[in-house]
Amino acid sequence: MTDEVQGIYHDKLVIRLIQFSVVWAVVAMTVGVYLAAELIWPTIDFGQFWLSFGRLRPLHTNGIIFGFGVSALMATGFYSVQRTSHVSLFAPRLAWFCCYAWQLIVFLGGLSLLAGWTSTKEYAELEWPFDIAITIVWVCFGIVFFGTIATRKIKPIYISNWFYGALIIVISMLHIVNNLAIPVSIGKSYSFYAGAQDAVVQWWYGHNAVGFLLTGGFLGMMYYFLPKIAGRPIWSYRLSIVAFWAFTYSYIWAGPHHLHFSAIPEWVQSLAMGMSLILLAPSWASMINGIMTVSTAWEKLRTDPALKFIVLSLAFYGLATFEGPMMAIRSVNIVSHFTDWTIGHVHSGALGWNAMVTYGTFYFMVPRLVGAPLYSVKMADLHFWMALAGTMLYVVSMWAAGVSQGLLWLSVDEFGELSFSFTDIMASMAPYYGLRLVAGLIFLTGTVLMALNLFMTMKGRQAVEVKVTPVDPAYGVA
Amino acid sequence: MSGMSLHKKFEENTGLLIFGILFVSSIGGLVQILPILNQKSLETPAANTRVYDAVELTGRDIYIREGCHVCHSQQIRPLIAEIERYGPYSRAGEFVYDRPFLWGSKRTGPDLHRVGGKFSDQWHRLHLINPRDVIEKSIMPAYPWLADRDASQAGNITGKLKALRILGHPYTDKDIESADARLVGLKEIDALIIYLQMLGTGFSEEES
């Protein structure tokens, strides 16, 4: 905490958060690979309750979203908000508190999941003591972030900050409402809502945690770092404004498409389907804006692994945000729901978009933060191809598995009898699950390469002290 | 461009930006969630639906602890193949005492909403201790520890019933007082099987 000198960006904190983020990526992806193996060899939990699939899977998802994802969002958010506001971080001690308190929540929360403490609500599995702790840290995150914006030296608030801002605000709203519960003991509580109502509240949360954290938060990352790395201004500032408000307005409606043909009222399902289709427009607006920004800097793709990762991430972002609305159409959802297609969809987003945009950003930031070139550009190039191969193989194998499951489950013969038993369909998934395991291993190996590469780049080096850049008086705060 | 100049205000004012985000993002939730939370038919139990008794609730919480909902749904869709495979489709009234709901999002294993009565207790016992003893190709994990642990150790059942009563579940004082005694002598696996055997029985064909 010695970097509290006036006029210097607080970058030590950023480095620490990047380190935590990379550690969580490796840990949570390793858990994911292990889970993929358990679906092929179910006895490799060795009769240990804490290795059991049902307890390990939420550890995988929470580790990725809250460990890897949120640490990366805090790191990139703190880095970019200082630079776009031309001021050092507001309340830096509070920011350090956010950093460490958050890691403690992820670590202890992970252990609590293995102990069987779970609310069952997807991406909100952590029990009430953690929910309270998350709320406190999240409010502190908001104070630091919006405090920095409020004390900025330049008039306009740059677009990336709106997305980070929406992440902080909307996630707090969703988190508090969805987790309301009556505690029974330290690791058990009962939801305020029951049955169909609980389902609607949960998927309002669950869908928008994906929306405002994994989509919106990471769009903030894209809007700051892509123009920086490409060395071009954002293609259309006006388009980014329209996309932002349309995204913030329409995403929130789409949650009940997770509950098609369930016991919730049909009007909610239809409304969610309609809004999901509309959502395609603002989602793609940001993708087009990003791609057009790079359009005069394509030659940099040949030399800069950071830019390669981010441009590829936009392609997967486009794929996932197209696939999502398609799966929200009720007649498509009949086939896709409850199958591995959903798992494939999530991973085209999580591996292809979230992980890759973060990897690109980290390859860009770390050398600048420590003032040294990347340890090995070759290794980063290799990582790029492994990430692409891993993601493609993952997504394709899960498409095949998911579409087969969906169609085989629904198949009836001419007498109206089921054509296949559940067990036979499940057993026929083994080859796809095998491919998925290989895909996960490739992606994980690439991530480990990056961890090594970044470690060697940072090794023995300190954060460079970067002075706050002065503002052109024409745009300065009066 | 008056639209742009209005937007300039949001772009240059932190408070307005926060307010704008909060306002715009709340609309969808208010339109969808509030009517659902006030819809009485979603809170009205189906004809045969009753609260979980002390043993069933303990079994349900073991189901939750082990993450059974991660691979098994409890939501039968009104599609011919699903009704054929699993039974009558799920009605909202059957879930009014489900805190949390356990509809799930993935069927690595089959739906369990109407698994009650389909298999014998003994089948479930063998299946939970080692699934491959009864279904050769199964990829379900084994749960041997359930047979060793006492159901009474699975959580404070009296406290649970009291908490649920606060939330409106009609438990009587007698239900709560006798809760501990009902778990005596039962292993966790017994409570879980009793829960599985009552799943989906809260519905009768006549009412629809």
Side-chain angles (χ1 to χ4, degrees):
Chain A
M1 286 187 213
T2 47
D3 56 352
E4 284 174 37
V5 192
Q6 273 298 319
I8 302 284
Y9 293 134
H10 294 279
D11 287 344
K12 279 186 185 167
L13 170 67
V14 174
I15 293 179
R16 186 52 45 85
L17 280 161
I18 291 176
Q19 291 165 338
F20 278 124
S21 176
V22 173
V23 168
W24 288 126
V26 172
V27 170
M29 286 177 197
T30 306
V31 174
V33 168
Y34 196 76
L35 286 163
E38 283 189 335
L39 287 176
I40 304 169
W41 304 290
T43 54
I44 58 167
D45 61 9
F46 307 109
Q48 301 297 312
F49 66 85
W50 56 276
L51 278 178
S52 190
F53 188 94
R55 299 186 190 217
L56 223 42
R57 195 192 102 141
L59 178 67
H60 167 61
T61 53
N62 283 274
I64 289 294
I65 298 174
F66 300 111
F68 168 57
V70 170
S71 301
L73 289 169
M74 281 185 179
T76 55
F78 289 152
Y79 180 94
S80 61
V81 75
Q82 298 184 87
R83 282 155 175 85
T84 51
S85 301
H86 295 267
V87 68
S88 59
L89 220 47
F90 178 77
R93 280 168 195 278
L94 199 60
W96 277 101
F97 165 77
C98 287
C99 166
Y100 284 109
W102 189 259
Q103 308 311 321
L104 197 64
I105 289 171
V106 177
F107 178 71
L108 294 178
L111 292 183
S112 81
L113 291 170
L114 295 185
W117 297 11
T118 175
S119 73
T120 80
K121 297 185 170 191
E122 275 182 77
Y123 322 132
E125 284 92 346
L126 295 180
E127 267 293 354
W128 66 274
F130 295 103
D131 291 337
I132 293 172
I134 289 170
T135 311
I136 294 169
V137 175
W138 210 253
V139 169
C140 296
F141 183 20
I143 292 172
V144 174
F145 187 83
F146 287 111
T148 308
I149 294 182
T151 53
R152 73 191 181 284
K153 296 284 182 282
I154 187 167
K155 259 191 193 164
I157 303 171
Y158 182 65
I159 180 72
S160 62
N161 293 323
W162 308 2
F163 279 98
Y164 283 111
L167 154 80
I168 293 168
I169 294 167
V170 181
I171 293 292
S172 10
M173 169 175 82
L174 299 167
H175 171 76
I176 292 169
V177 174
N178 187 42
N179 283 300
L180 289 177
I182 292 199
V184 177
S185 62
I186 182 87
K188 178 74 190 168
S189 62
Y190 288 114
S191 173
F192 255 38
Y193 322 97
Q197 295 173 335
D198 196 33
V200 174
V201 174
Q202 153 58 19
W203 283 112
W204 170 71
Y205 165 88
H207 180 72
N208 293 295
V210 173
F212 287 86
L213 207 157
L214 297 176
T215 312
F218 285 81
L219 278 177
M221 201 187 277
M222 188 278 284
Y223 271 115
Y224 179 78
F225 288 96
L226 181 69
K228 276 281 165 210
I229 300 174
R232 302 283 185 279
I234 194 78
W235 180 60
S236 165
Y237 202 78
R238 188 174 294 182
L239 183 62
S240 70
I241 291 171
V242 175
F244 174 78
W245 290 112
F247 167 89
T248 306
Y249 171 77
S250 49
Y251 217 110
I252 209 90
W253 296 75
H257 70 215
H258 292 258
L259 299 165
H260 277 335
F261 297 100
S262 75
I264 65 164
E266 213 161 294
W267 69 266
V268 186
Q269 301 178 28
S270 304
L271 187 58
M273 170 179 139
M275 292 307 283
S276 303
L277 290 169
I278 289 172
L279 190 53
L280 180 60
S283 300
W284 273 31
S286 285
M287 173 188 70
I288 291 165
N289 218 344
I291 296 285
M292 293 307 286
T293 301
V294 202
S295 67
T296 52
W298 290 123
E299 79 285 352
K300 290 196 179 193
L301 276 178
R302 287 161 53 191
T303 49
D304 187 352
L307 191 60
K308 269 193 257 193
F309 266 107
I310 297 192
V311 169
L312 183 66
S313 80
L314 276 174
F316 275 105
Y317 167 82
L319 172 77
T321 51
F322 174 76
E323 189 184 22
M326 292 309 114
M327 293 168 80
I329 298 172
R330 275 161 59 97
S331 48
V332 177
N333 195 268
I334 286 183
V335 177
S336 76
H337 197 45
F338 293 131
T339 72
D340 279 304
W341 188 349
T342 311
I343 312 299
H345 171 61
V346 169
H347 283 82
S348 73
L351 302 176
W353 159 239
N354 299 118
M356 290 210 207
V357 71
T358 307
Y359 292 170
T361 301
F362 284 179
Y363 279 127
F364 171 81
M365 287 167 84
V366 169
R368 277 159 188 80
L369 285 166
V370 297
L374 189 65
Y375 173 71
S376 166
V377 175
K378 269 205 176 125
M379 218 155 117
D381 280 332
L382 179 63
H383 175 203
F384 173 80
W385 291 108
M386 293 183 87
L388 175 58
T391 308
M392 285 308 295
L393 188 59
Y394 195 110
V395 172
V396 170
S397 60
M398 287 300 98
W399 273 338
V403 175
S404 316
Q405 280 161 14
L407 294 176
L408 295 174
W409 287 344
L410 292 170
S411 164
V412 287
D413 64 18
E414 63 264 44
F415 307 109
E417 301 278 336
L418 294 169
S419 310
F420 307 99
S421 79
F422 190 94
T423 314
D424 286 340
I425 299 170
M426 184 269 296
S428 72
M429 292 300 126
Y432 306 123
Y433 286 180
L435 284 178
R436 186 251 304 268
L437 175 61
V438 173
L441 272 172
I442 296 172
F443 197 91
L444 172 64
T445 311
T447 305
V448 171
L449 282 183
M450 178 189 74
L452 280 174
N453 208 347
L454 296 182
F455 174 77
M456 293 307 289
T457 309
M458 286 189 270
K459 199 180 157 198
R461 296 198 169 89
Q462 291 288 320
V464 179
E465 290 200 344
V466 181
K467 285 210 177 75
V468 173
T469 40
V471 180
D472 181 335
Y475 300 101
V477 174
Chain B
M1 290 304 290
S2 64
M4 291 307 280
S5 62
L6 171 72
H7 195 268
K8 218 166 161 31
K9 288 204 172 72
F10 282 86
E11 239 174 277
E12 294 181 355
N13 187 318
T14 321
L16 264 183
L17 186 58
I18 294 176
F19 169 78
I21 292 170
L22 201 56
F23 177 76
V24 166
S25 66
S26 323
I27 301 169
L30 291 173
V31 174
Q32 279 178 336
I33 309 273
L34 282 188
I36 293 289
L37 292 184
N38 286 307
Q39 190 169 334
K40 283 285 164 276
S41 69
L42 298 178
E43 297 171 4
T44 314
N48 291 345
T49 300
R50 54 169 179 79
V51 286
Y52 297 103
D53 70 20
V55 180
E56 291 157 356
L57 187 69
T58 302
R60 189 174 195 269
D61 286 341
I62 292 166
Y63 182 100
I64 288 171
R65 186 191 72 199
E66 300 301 340
C68 304
H69 56 276
V70 170
C71 293
H72 293 282
S73 57
Q74 289 189 22
Q75 172 62 242
I76 302 167
R77 298 179 292 173
L79 308 171
I80 290 172
E82 292 216 352
I83 293 166
E84 192 82 5
R85 197 182 296 279
Y86 302 121
Y89 67 86
S90 306
R91 268 73 166 181
E94 297 178 84
F95 300 109
V96 296
Y97 301 119
D98 279 18
R99 287 177 205 268
F101 77 113
L102 293 175
W103 295 358
S105 63
K106 178 71 175 51
R107 283 180 188 153
T108 305
D111 188 277
L112 297 181
H113 186 211
R114 302 210 189 278
V115 77
K118 281 191 183 164
F119 301 92
S120 69
D121 290 358
Q122 184 56 22
W123 184 93
H124 277 300
R125 188 176 304 275
L126 291 170
H127 182 243
L128 285 165
I129 292 173
N130 183 15
R132 278 150 296 283
D133 283 350
V134 285
I135 299 173
E136 202 194 330
K137 296 181 219 162
S138 172
I139 55 167
M140 186 171 119
Y143 296 90
W145 56 88
L146 297 180
D148 302 329
R149 299 188 190 169
D150 290 326
S152 55
Q153 303 300 309
N156 165 14
I157 187 63
T158 316
K160 286 178 177 181
L161 295 182
K162 282 182 183 162
L164 287 173
R165 185 154 75 172
I166 296 171
L167 290 165
H169 294 208
Y171 290 111
T172 63
D173 290 340
K174 199 166 148 267
D175 291 335
I176 294 173
E177 282 158 23
S178 66
D180 275 322
R182 295 211 42 208
L183 293 178
V184 172
L186 294 179
K187 295 294 182 189
E188 287 191 344
I189 200 168
D190 301 311
L192 179 56
I193 292 170
I194 289 168
Y195 166 65
L196 290 172
Q197 293 292 25
M198 68 86 67
L199 265 179
T201 56
F203 165 77
S204 66
E205 287 286 3
E206 291 83 62
E207 74 179 303
S208 62

